[in-house]
Amino acid sequence: MQAPSNPLRFLPLVKSIALQTRDTIAPHVDVELLVERGRIALTESLTQYRSRQGLTLRNYLTYKIRGAIYDGLSGHSWPNNESWLHYLFAKKSNELLLHFHLSAEGTIKRSIKAEEEEVLHLLRLLAVIAMIVFGAERIVGLKRSIHLLDARQKDFIKHYYEQDLTMERAAEKIGLSGPVSFRFHLQILEKLAAELAANNELNV
């Protein structure tokens, strides 16, 4: 097991992420509260990181610090619905990217072409997340695609997006164990992406 790095080395990263979060999605929140959340996540994440996970230490910490800051914002009131939606999209996108890069798909070394295909794949999934968060009620194709999901998949979307539960908690709500939550969520996004693309409603 590798020795954890010195947390002081990454404090500028914590402050940078906290400031970026404050400036882009949470201007109503004291930046010091965000920094404190980030510091706690930094210390914990340094002990959890393994180099074989397919992410550099800095990238791993960035995802984990952002995630902790976003989690800390879940209890705050938001000045308007648009602010809440931007927060929700940022949070769910960060979770998808972190889990994807820690999964088998993200750790296998591949060709340049395969890497390019992976980027396009992730862009499609992020586009679906954006559609769910910002336009589920008004995008006809998305509503039709969600209607085609089975009952558990629909319930997962409700718990994970509408109620903003964690991925693990949303899975538990429908009778799945936490460890399989990412795979289940990924399957839902891929199914929606394929259906939307088949109907020319996803142009990524």
Side-chain angles (χ1 to χ4, degrees):
M1 181 180 294
Q2 61 204 58
S5 299
N6 182 356
L8 294 177
R9 174 183 161 202
F10 295 99
L11 284 181
L13 176 64
V14 172
K15 292 176 182 176
S16 174
I17 293 170
L19 283 168
Q20 182 185 46
T21 302
R22 193 273 312 271
D23 292 345
T24 56
I25 63 174
H28 61 296
V29 178
D30 183 352
V31 72
E32 287 306 316
L33 294 176
L34 305 181
V35 169
E36 184 55 30
R37 272 303 278 213
R39 280 195 192 116
I40 294 170
L42 169 64
T43 302
E44 293 173 351
S45 300
L46 282 172
T47 64
Q48 297 166 353
Y49 176 73
R50 302 292 179 270
S51 60
R52 67 179 181 274
Q53 288 176 308
L55 281 170
T56 65
L57 175 58
R58 187 177 183 84
N59 286 343
Y60 176 78
L61 293 176
T62 297
Y63 286 126
K64 296 291 281 188
I65 292 165
R66 274 196 193 127
I69 288 174
Y70 294 157
D71 286 343
L73 288 171
S74 62
H76 285 269
S77 59
W78 294 85
N80 52 59
N81 191 54
E82 184 178 355
S83 297
W84 156 255
L85 293 177
H86 280 284
Y87 150 77
L88 192 63
F89 174 70
K91 181 180 180 183
K92 302 310 183 184
S93 298
N94 186 71
E95 288 179 347
L96 172 76
L97 293 170
L98 172 63
H99 285 287
F100 183 87
H101 288 302
L102 295 182
S103 69
E105 292 93 335
T107 56
I108 297 171
K109 304 303 180 187
R110 295 170 300 261
S111 67
I112 296 296
K113 181 174 175 54
E115 294 286 347
E116 291 172 350
E117 290 172 353
E118 178 185 286
V119 170
L120 285 174
H121 179 59
L122 285 172
L123 286 174
R124 290 186 193 100
L125 299 182
L126 291 171
V128 173
I129 291 176
M131 293 170 77
I132 292 171
V133 170
F134 292 108
E137 291 304 312
R138 63 179 183 271
I139 299 176
V140 176
L142 179 63
K143 290 174 70 175
R144 183 176 60 246
S145 299
I146 289 176
H147 182 72
L148 296 174
L149 298 176
D150 65 36
R152 286 207 305 179
Q153 291 171 329
K154 291 175 186 173
D155 284 344
F156 182 90
I157 286 180
K158 180 182 71 175
H159 295 311
Y160 185 56
Y161 289 99
E162 295 177 25
Q163 300 174 5
D164 191 25
L165 298 184
T166 65
M167 202 180 290
E168 293 79 7
R169 186 72 183 114
E172 289 169 1
K173 281 277 191 179
I174 60 171
L176 297 175
S177 66
V180 303
S181 58
F182 167 69
R183 174 59 52 189
F184 189 74
H185 180 227
L186 185 63
Q187 289 170 351
I188 293 172
L189 293 180
E190 289 174 340
K191 186 173 182 178
L192 292 174
E195 180 69 23
L196 289 162
N199 292 297
N200 297 315
E201 293 166 320
L202 187 65
N203 299 315
V204 177

